[in-house]
């Protein structure tokens, strides 16, 4: 099966696993000001507040489980080439079994040296703390992309989308750049589908499944498999 499906996911795919989205009613950015926890300035100003924010979210990720949407993408991966490009920092795609996952905004399960971005560790059960320092004694920070920081994976992500035979967007408001611009890299004529109960952004020609991810993604996968007899 030569078809290459690229799936661009956002916080909405993890919502039914119990993880908050950012911009829905009651979302994370209503609970806390992103300027206080998700910028390099916030880290310089109050690292303890930033560490607490990411420690709490990581505990929620550890307690969460992949849902039927994550699992449907694994089901598809067993039948054709699937590349997941996620804005999410959780590890639910990997825990479901997806083997090609590109994290545009990093991973909450990792920490990196505040001095050397190449020095990265897997946090596992340990928390970020002032005592957790890198090999040169500098603090370890969340290995995520904060607002105002570069998105190193963007070029790879754009190449993947430009080579997609099908693009599926699941659970993203497409509010944040450069991630949101990825939909522009798809070749003309490549089918684009969106799974989102409140899809707002109009993508010309896109097929919109206005359902939660745990219903809409399995539905899309079933239709795709039937269409290609896989
Ligand atoms: N199933 C599918 N989609 C859902 C569900 C669900 N159960 N619940 C909510 N959604 C949709 C919402 O309608 C919305 O379109 O998920 C989207 C969530 O949008 P955001 O909260 O803006 O999340 P996201 O698009 O991933 O944000 C992008 O912003 O703050 C930064 O770094 C952060 O990666 C994040 C980026």
């Amino acid at each position: 099966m030569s078809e290459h499906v690229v799936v661009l996911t956002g916080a909405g795919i993890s919502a039914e696993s119990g993880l908050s989205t950012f911009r829905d009613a009651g979302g994370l950015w209503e609970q806390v000001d992103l300027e206080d926890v998700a910028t390099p300035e916030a880290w310089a100003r109050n690292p303890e507040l930033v560490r607490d924010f990411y420690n709490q979210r990581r505990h929620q990720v550890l307690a969460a489980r992949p849902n039927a949407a994550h699992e449907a993408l694994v089901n598809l991966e067993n039948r054709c080439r699937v590349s997941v490009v996620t804005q999410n920092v959780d590890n639910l795609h990997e825990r479901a079994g997806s083997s090609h996952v590109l994290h545009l905004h990093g991973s909450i399960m990792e920490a990196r040296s505040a001095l050397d971005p190449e020095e990265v560790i897997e946090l596992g059960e340990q928390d970020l703390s002032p005592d957790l320092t890198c090999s040169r004694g500098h603090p370890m920070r969340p290995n995520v992309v904060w607002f105002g920081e570069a998105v190193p994976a963007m070029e790879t992500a754009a190449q993947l989308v430009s080579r997609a035979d099908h693009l599926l967007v699941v659970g993203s408001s497409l509010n944040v750049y450069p991630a949101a611009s990825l939909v522009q890299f798809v070749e003309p004529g490549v089918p684009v589908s969106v799974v989102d109960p409140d899809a707002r952004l109009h993508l010309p020609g896109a097929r919109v499944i206005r359902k939660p991810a745990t219903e809409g993604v399995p539905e899309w996968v079933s239709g795709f498999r039937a269409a290609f007899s896989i």
Side-chain angles (χ1 to χ4, degrees):
M1 175 68 188
S2 63
E3 301 294 308
H4 180 197
V5 177
V6 176
V7 191
L8 173 60
T9 66
I13 199 170
S14 299
E16 290 159 274
S17 293
L19 300 181
S20 289
T21 61
F22 294 94
R23 296 172 184 82
D24 288 321
L28 269 176
W29 298 147
E30 276 186 17
Q31 299 166 38
V32 67
D33 184 342
L34 68 86
E35 298 292 342
D36 292 339
V37 293
T39 66
E41 295 75 15
W43 173 253
R45 188 169 55 244
N46 189 343
E48 197 52 42
L49 181 66
V50 174
R51 278 192 286 264
D52 288 348
F53 176 68
Y54 283 94
N55 284 336
Q56 280 175 40
R57 285 181 65 200
R58 200 177 73 262
H59 297 159
Q60 289 160 6
V61 171
L62 289 168
R65 302 195 49 69
N67 62 50
H70 300 104
E71 290 160 358
L73 296 179
V74 179
N75 173 288
L76 183 62
E77 181 180 306
N78 297 331
R79 290 164 174 78
C80 71
R81 185 177 168 206
V82 176
S83 300
V84 176
V85 176
T86 188
Q87 299 171 81
N88 300 339
V89 294
D90 67 54
N91 62 351
L92 297 183
H93 282 299
E94 292 88 342
R95 284 165 56 194
S98 284
S99 42
H100 304 290
V101 182
L102 180 65
H103 282 269
L104 277 173
H105 295 157
S107 170
I108 202 166
M109 311 312 290
E110 297 173 342
R112 74 166 191 256
S113 164
L115 180 77
D116 173 9
E118 298 306 311
E119 185 170 342
V120 175
I121 62 166
E122 189 71 34
L123 282 169
E125 296 290 330
Q126 71 181 323
D127 276 351
L128 291 164
S129 77
D131 306 331
L132 189 62
T133 56
C134 73
S135 55
R136 284 182 273 181
H138 286 262
M140 295 296 280
R141 53 160 279 184
N143 191 27
V144 299
V145 175
W146 282 327
F147 288 92
E149 293 187 316
V151 181
M154 189 61 200
E155 187 179 339
T156 305
Q159 282 171 6
L160 277 172
V161 173
S162 69
R163 295 185 190 132
D165 298 310
H166 305 267
L167 178 66
L168 174 61
V169 181
V170 183
S172 178
S173 63
L174 295 177
N175 254 308
V176 169
Y177 286 80
S181 66
L182 281 172
V183 296
Q184 314 302 332
F185 287 87
V186 74
E187 286 294 311
V190 167
V192 177
S193 303
V194 175
V195 174
D196 186 328
D198 302 313
R200 288 175 281 272
L201 198 109
H202 175 65
L203 295 178
R207 171 192 170 203
V208 180
I209 300 176
R210 284 186 188 281
K211 293 181 179 175
T214 56
E215 292 172 41
V217 177
E219 178 182 310
W220 187 90
V221 168
S222 299
F224 183 86
R225 288 184 52 193
F228 289 92
S229 307
I230 53 173

